[in-house]
Amino acid sequence: MGLVVGVDVGGTVTKAVLVDGDRVLAHASAPTPRPGPDVVGQVVDVVSGLVGELDPAGDADIGVVVPGIVDEARGVAVWSENLGWRDVPFAALLTDRLGRATAFGHDVRAGGLAESAAGGGRGARDALFLPIGTGIAAALVLGGRVHDAGGYAGEIGHVDVGHDEPCACGRRGCLEAIASASAIARRHTARTGRAVEAVDVARLVGAGDADARRVWEDAVDALARALAWTASVLAPEVVVVGGGLSAAGALLLRPLDEALRERLTFQRRPRLVAAELGGLAGCRGAALLAAKRSALC
Amino acid sequence: MGLVVGVDVGGTVTKAVLVDGDRVLAHASAPTPRPGPDVVGQVVDVVSGLVGELDPAGDADIGVVVPGIVDEARGVAVWSENLGWRDVPFAALLTDRLGRATAFGHDVRAGGLAESAAGGGRGARDALFLPIGTGIAAALVLGGRVHDAGGYAGEIGHVDVGHDEPCACGRRGCLEAIASASAIARRHTARTGRAVEAVDVARLVGAGDADARRVWEDAVDALARALAWTASVLAPEVVVVGGGLSAAGALLLRPLDEALRERLTFQRRPRLVAAELGGLAGCRGAALLAAKRSALC
């Protein structure tokens, strides 16, 4: 197996790694272009620049992942709410621009693949990767394979957990409208008038702040509902919690685990662990897609 | 491919088919033994009797499926609430008694396999089979494979859909405590004092009876919540509704479809269809397991 570059086009930052097998040799990043009429061309430019920076000789295999609804089989980014595109044939555009066949996939599913291969989900046949950041999505690694459902799988952020907060998708009650890092920050600000990030709310919870506790408990309760449902229907052995909120560690995982004990009876209760690959899970996964593609050719 | 006998050990009736490829040549049934200290030995007797009746020459491959938590890989029935057994090595017991290697599996997952191969889920890569009877469970056919999670997958009857009715599992709010055929009958009886079956409630709904409508709407609403979750997280192309309640046809499927249209925005909305194999789905699936096992040997 040779050198591989994996690129993760995020909502605000695009990250890339150069890997050789399991070893990360270098990484680089650049701001993701803002949504606009030429966002696709600009994203291709940014990816091309990062690949050139990490692999000046042009030898490496390339994998690129993006957010939203991604149809891996067709190599098409079907929809991104944050970046504002629809039906973009990214695999073909990138292959054309980079002059090499490029593996193309979905950020969260690629992250789940990486956490399963070399992170918190190591050794489990059935795992759920749950990054909690601006939004919440899941990667389902079932029987050792990533379930994609034509790109539509894993939208756990938009299940109805029974509350009245409006969501960007147009509905009320969605998990991510109460339990994402941005929802936690927004809801604390709404109670107190102070501008905060989710990490500040976590610190205030530790310090016993009543507003922070209330917001945190609402988030934990909603996550527990969603995970109890997942345990009943999919029965993963492990849930790997990632994204910005996973930095809260035991403050998040311990009450979640207690709530799951209460909610489950005969079902298989998953282990809850923090993700291990941090912000690089997506580009590590992109590199895995490229290596897998290369092994098949 | 030769003759195959498939046996489905149900909560009250054990059914068997003799098949040759896709053709059902004969079927037979017998009462399932009641729970008790020797229920396992009695079930093995009943299975052996039905196999002898359908395959007197003793040539056929055999597949047997049972309800509850079933670990297919180990050939063990881990738990059945209705039949009252724990950790029974059925594959070994049946192989010993029948004198032939016997494929062993789970009733609902086998039914899902059969409906995917030759019933309402034909042609779909991602399908949910949802038999609604005494209880509610699901078979998940994902990427063309049945997801089992060590036997724990598919317990959609025990997801919390937000109501106060107690469930046999010890919790409140479970889907099957409000939307199974037996819950529909029980809740209608509780309102009216009349003993009915779910099929009677369906008829009363058609006739405009207010109590029946209320009970039916509660069931449809709970099923819609559970299916909207499933659509967001698993995104099946089709949901094949089976079990006794599927006899209600459009009375069930049409309002469910309308409720899903309201609950889903960008997610993939599944087609809702009635199961096609009726009460024989489980034993048809058992026969498929036997044929598959035989092809591997």
Side-chain angles (χ1 to χ4, degrees):
Chain A
M1 209 155 72
L3 294 175
V4 182
V5 175
V7 186
D8 176 8
V9 179
T12 53
V13 178
T14 296
K15 299 171 192 166
V17 288
L18 176 71
V19 302
D20 181 2
D22 276 350
R23 283 189 309 140
V24 176
L25 303 180
H27 52 91
S29 65
T32 299
R34 304 288 295 273
D38 193 32
V39 67
V40 169
Q42 290 170 347
V43 164
V44 171
D45 287 347
V46 167
V47 170
S48 173
L50 289 170
V51 169
E53 184 179 338
L54 291 177
D55 174 41
D59 294 333
D61 289 314
I62 314 285
V64 178
V65 300
V66 305
I69 303 286
V70 172
D71 184 339
E72 268 120 1
R74 293 193 299 132
V76 169
V78 177
W79 181 60
S80 166
E81 186 188 329
N82 292 326
L83 289 162
W85 59 51
R86 272 188 192 277
D87 292 318
V88 179
F90 261 113
L93 291 174
L94 290 163
T95 296
D96 189 51
R97 172 62 173 271
L98 298 168
R100 278 164 281 178
T102 301
F104 177 70
H106 181 248
D107 57 353
V108 176
R109 286 195 290 280
L113 195 66
E115 286 286 348
S116 278
R122 216 182 286 106
R125 270 184 66 75
D126 300 307
L128 187 86
F129 174 53
L130 187 74
I132 306 176
T134 312
I136 301 180
L140 317 172
V141 182
L142 303 177
R145 293 195 313 190
V146 180
H147 173 58
D148 66 351
Y152 287 91
E155 295 290 350
I156 199 169
H158 298 281
V159 300
D160 183 353
V161 291
H163 60 75
D164 260 344
E165 302 269 342
C167 179
C169 78
R171 296 268 312 164
R172 283 174 191 272
C174 291
L175 175 64
E176 74 175 41
I178 198 163
S180 67
S182 45
I184 288 171
R186 176 177 44 73
R187 296 186 78 232
H188 191 268
T189 299
R191 291 177 78 92
T192 62
R194 277 174 285 148
V196 291
E197 306 259 323
V199 62
D200 305 318
V201 180
R203 213 184 39 243
L204 288 166
V205 171
D209 178 274
D211 289 307
R213 286 201 118 126
R214 179 61 195 275
V215 166
W216 197 259
E217 281 164 14
D218 286 349
V220 166
D221 183 62
L223 287 167
R225 288 179 78 98
L227 289 183
W229 189 92
T230 306
S232 296
V233 177
L234 293 174
E237 296 156 86
V238 59
V239 173
V240 182
V241 179
L245 208 65
S246 67
L251 188 68
L252 177 64
L253 299 185
R254 199 171 299 154
L256 249 187
D257 189 53
E258 276 163 25
L260 276 185
R261 277 175 204 271
E262 275 170 37
R263 287 183 169 272
L264 299 176
T265 54
F266 65 94
Q267 298 97 328
R268 178 156 83 169
R269 188 159 48 82
R271 283 185 296 121
L272 302 181
V273 303
E276 293 180 10
L277 304 179
L280 294 184
C283 42
R284 295 277 301 263
L288 287 175
L289 295 180
K292 198 182 281 184
R293 193 196 167 285
S294 168
L296 288 174
C297 294
Chain B
M1 209 155 72
L3 295 174
V4 182
V5 175
V7 185
D8 177 7
V9 179
T12 54
V13 179
T14 297
K15 299 172 192 166
V17 288
L18 175 71
V19 301
D20 181 2
D22 275 350
R23 283 188 310 138
V24 176
L25 303 180
H27 52 91
S29 66
T32 299
R34 306 285 297 272
D38 192 33
V39 65
V40 170
Q42 290 170 347
V43 162
V44 170
D45 286 347
V46 166
V47 170
S48 173
L50 289 170
V51 168
E53 184 181 338
L54 290 177
D55 175 41
D59 294 333
D61 289 316
I62 314 285
V64 178
V65 300
V66 304
I69 303 286
V70 172
D71 184 339
E72 268 120 1
R74 293 193 300 131
V76 170
V78 176
W79 181 59
S80 166
E81 186 189 330
N82 291 326
L83 290 162
W85 60 49
R86 272 187 192 279
D87 293 318
V88 180
F90 261 113
L93 291 175
L94 290 164
T95 295
D96 190 48
R97 172 64 173 271
L98 297 169
R100 278 164 281 179
T102 301
F104 178 70
H106 181 249
D107 57 353
V108 176
R109 287 196 289 279
L113 196 65
E115 286 286 347
S116 278
R122 216 182 286 107
R125 269 182 67 76
D126 301 307
L128 187 87
F129 174 53
L130 187 75
I132 307 176
T134 311
I136 302 179
L140 317 172
V141 182
L142 304 177
R145 292 194 315 189
V146 180
H147 173 59
D148 65 352
Y152 287 90
E155 296 290 349
I156 199 169
H158 299 280
V159 299
D160 183 354
V161 290
H163 60 77
D164 260 342
E165 303 268 343
C167 180
C169 78
R171 294 270 313 165
R172 283 172 189 272
C174 291
L175 175 63
E176 74 175 40
I178 199 164
S180 67
S182 45
I184 288 171
R186 176 177 45 72
R187 297 186 79 232
H188 191 267
T189 298
R191 291 176 79 90
T192 62
R194 279 175 283 149
V196 291
E197 307 260 322
V199 62
D200 305 318
V201 180
R203 214 184 39 242
L204 289 166
V205 171
D209 178 274
D211 288 307
R213 286 202 118 125
R214 179 61 194 278
V215 166
W216 197 259
E217 280 164 15
D218 285 349
V220 166
D221 183 61
L223 287 166
R225 287 180 79 99
L227 289 183
W229 270 79
T230 307
S232 296
V233 177
L234 293 174
E237 295 155 86
V238 60
V239 173
V240 181
V241 179
L245 208 65
S246 67
L251 188 68
L252 177 64
L253 299 185
R254 199 171 300 153
L256 249 187
D257 189 54
E258 275 164 26
L260 276 185
R261 277 175 203 271
E262 274 170 36
R263 285 183 170 275
L264 300 175
T265 53
F266 65 93
Q267 297 97 330
R268 179 156 83 168
R269 187 160 48 81
R271 283 185 296 121
L272 302 181
V273 303
E276 293 178 11
L277 304 179
L280 295 183
C283 41
R284 295 275 304 260
L288 287 175
L289 295 180
K292 200 183 278 183
R293 195 197 165 285
S294 169
L296 288 174
C297 293

